[in-house]
Amino acid sequence: MPTAVVEVAPRKRSKARKAKLLPPEPAREVPGPGERPARLPYLLDLYPAESAAQTRLAPFFEGLREGRFLSTHCRKDGRVLWPPRIVCPVCHTSDLTWVDLPQTGRIYAFSAILAGAPSGLEEELPRVVGLVELDGSPLRIFGRIVGVEWPECRIGMRVRVEPFSLPDGRAYYAFRVVR
Amino acid sequence: MSGPREVAVVGGGLTPFGVRGVTWAELAQEAGEVLFRTVPNLRAADVDSLFVGAAEPERFAFQSHVAPLVAEQMGLAPHRIVQRTELACASGQSAIRSAYAAIRAGLSDIAVAVGVEKMNIPDMAEANSAMACVLDRPWDAAHGLTAPPFFAMVAQRHMLEHGTTDEQLAAVSQKNHRFANANPVAQFYEKKFDREKLLRLPLVAPPLRLGDCSSMTDGAGAVVLAAEDRVSEFTDTPAWIRGSGQYSDFHNLANMGSLTQWSGLVRASREALRSARIGPGDLDFAELHDCFTISEIIEYEAIGFCGPGEGGSFVADGRSDLGGDVVVNPRGGLLGCGHPLGATGIAQAVEVVDQFAHRVDPARQVPDPEWAMVHNLSGSANVHSVMVYERGG
Ligand SMILES: [Zn+2]
């Protein structure tokens, strides 16, 4: 069975290689058990603080609500940084600008969490996760992969960014397998 | 004025590792009992400095400021340097490195390095959250990243790129569990695992099974480090620290280069071997960070025991076992002993001391060892910490 984990999906010609941005779409609710608290205690909450009162990266989360997938770009040395930052690690300027990242890509590596989930994720197992190579970008970003059961998942499968809302209204994102 | 002083680990010991019915502070007391029992010439008043390796006492025991707590529990009154060292899975080695640096610089003469971790708590989901926040919490861990899925992706890529097999992964676990069966403090001292049994254990994060993963473990230990002019008060077979190297190169997974070639370990191990003026072929044994079976396989390659991609056959052919090129993890490793984060680095150093003194079970005694390497990775293999020891006497 585990050998399936290393098989690679057949490569199809992709129209999305030029990093075309998808149209904005409304954030959608994650289906989950209704009993779940809107928010874990602050120091068990894995998700980021996202309001402008808490972080200078609030535009990233506002972008998710508008169907955009943003990060920061340093004009001086031309690097697109991940995760988004407020100071460039190369030239140490704070003069960074927000840019749209490609919202499509390909699975580079994946696994599934079958046991040992952190607080708040226990009821969402198995949970497929992976590294995604964004189209036309050097970035390889980690995230949850939805829309596929782990035994059917393959390296090379195409995915797109999918924003969603947490029970308390915060925005976050996953990657959905595109068939 | 001569050069920097030489420093040796002169003794130390461990509490039993496992799922223990003791508190964090009680583990520290047990570490005190075992330290003064295993180093009989040590007087508390001679210990001028204390370094406490503890990864997450805030998470696992809701306790900060643990260095003075440990001093009190162990009956020590350090008067030069007292501090905690935190580097996740490498917190114990960090305590030893800090003690080494202090003694070498002349700021300390006799220092104790302690490691304590209590990981089994009533709600293991909270313990898993503690492990998750070792990684980039808001950007990686929030998706569900913990250590098993990370190292599972590493294993998947190594299998794809080099043809490494489930059986080769199991060979690492089988070897280390066999050594742990000869180590009375190991979590799995009494549990036997043959290859077939390991390959039947449930998947945790495919392709990794339960036997490919080190455990959540409670345990503690302590070692004494001494300046060259004080070493003979304690032992005839000091473990001299001859080399050291460390490298940190990313945090978020997006900024990791190759998943399967750990350039940080290439750099850290080269620096450690260069400063000891030896090569990988001179090592008699190595305590490598086998948090997962795939880790040990990639570590063989990065340190230079074999070529890139050859780690799977290296272990399957017995070249990292007794009688092979280099004995890797004769203590039983993290896989066989368990992995109480802060105590693991201390346990590896105790193994070096005990191997050099020829006082371990013959089933895991390396014949006449002179040179040893100790390695810890931490987090998502984003930091590598390496030390090289030479037997004195
Ligand atoms: Zn810059």
Side-chain angles (χ1 to χ4, degrees), chain B residues 152-324:
Chain B
M153 293 191 299
V154 170
Q156 182 187 47
R157 291 300 308 188
H158 205 272
M159 289 170 151
L160 181 71
E161 294 166 17
H162 302 297
T164 303
T165 65
D166 294 319
E167 287 74 15
Q168 290 169 338
L169 296 182
V172 174
S173 191
Q174 184 187 20
K175 166 179 69 70
N176 295 355
H177 274 106
R178 197 190 76 235
F179 284 137
N181 293 151
N183 184 350
V185 301
Q187 180 164 6
F188 298 108
Y189 175 51
E190 290 175 329
K191 282 224 170 124
K192 308 277 186 210
F193 292 93
D194 62 26
R195 193 83 54 99
E196 290 64 36
K197 181 173 175 182
L198 287 164
L199 289 167
R200 279 197 313 269
L201 289 174
L203 288 161
V204 172
L208 300 181
R209 296 176 181 276
L210 200 55
D212 293 303
C213 311
S214 57
S215 301
M216 305 282 259
T217 305
D218 311 330
V223 290
V224 184
L225 290 89
E228 54 184 85
D229 56 324
R230 305 291 300 274
V231 162
S232 62
E233 295 172 30
F234 302 101
T235 181
D236 299 328
T237 54
W240 293 106
I241 298 172
R242 298 300 194 203
S244 153
Q246 201 167 28
Y247 194 75
S248 169
D249 62 356
F250 69 97
H251 194 240
N252 186 279
L253 291 197
N255 299 312
M256 183 178 196
S258 168
L259 259 64
T260 54
Q261 294 191 31
W262 293 349
S263 57
L265 178 53
V266 172
R267 296 175 78 146
S269 60
R270 273 192 196 153
E271 173 61 20
L273 291 167
R274 188 201 59 76
S275 49
R277 297 193 184 89
I278 62 167
D282 297 312
L283 294 164
D284 298 295
F285 70 100
E287 286 288 311
L288 305 185
H289 199 93
D290 57 329
C291 49
F292 295 87
T293 47
I294 187 63
S295 314
E296 185 173 313
I297 285 175
I298 292 178
E299 288 153 11
Y300 302 148
E301 301 171 9
I303 294 165
F305 295 142
C306 63
E310 295 171 5
S313 50
F314 189 79
V315 62
D317 294 346
R319 293 174 63 189
S320 53
D321 206 334
L322 282 169

Side-chain angles (χ1 to χ4, degrees), chain A residues 74 76-77 88 90-91 93:
Chain A
C74 176
K76 201 169 161 191
D77 48 47
C88 173
V90 180
C91 61
T93 179

Side-chain angles (χ1 to χ4, degrees), chain A residues 45-73:
Chain A
D45 183 356
L46 294 169
Y47 292 102
E50 66 176 49
S51 75
Q54 293 170 295
T55 173
R56 290 167 62 185
L57 300 179
F60 172 83
F61 304 99
E62 287 156 19
L64 282 180
R65 288 199 181 80
E66 295 159 7
R68 298 175 71 185
F69 191 54
L70 301 170
S71 195
T72 48
H73 170 254

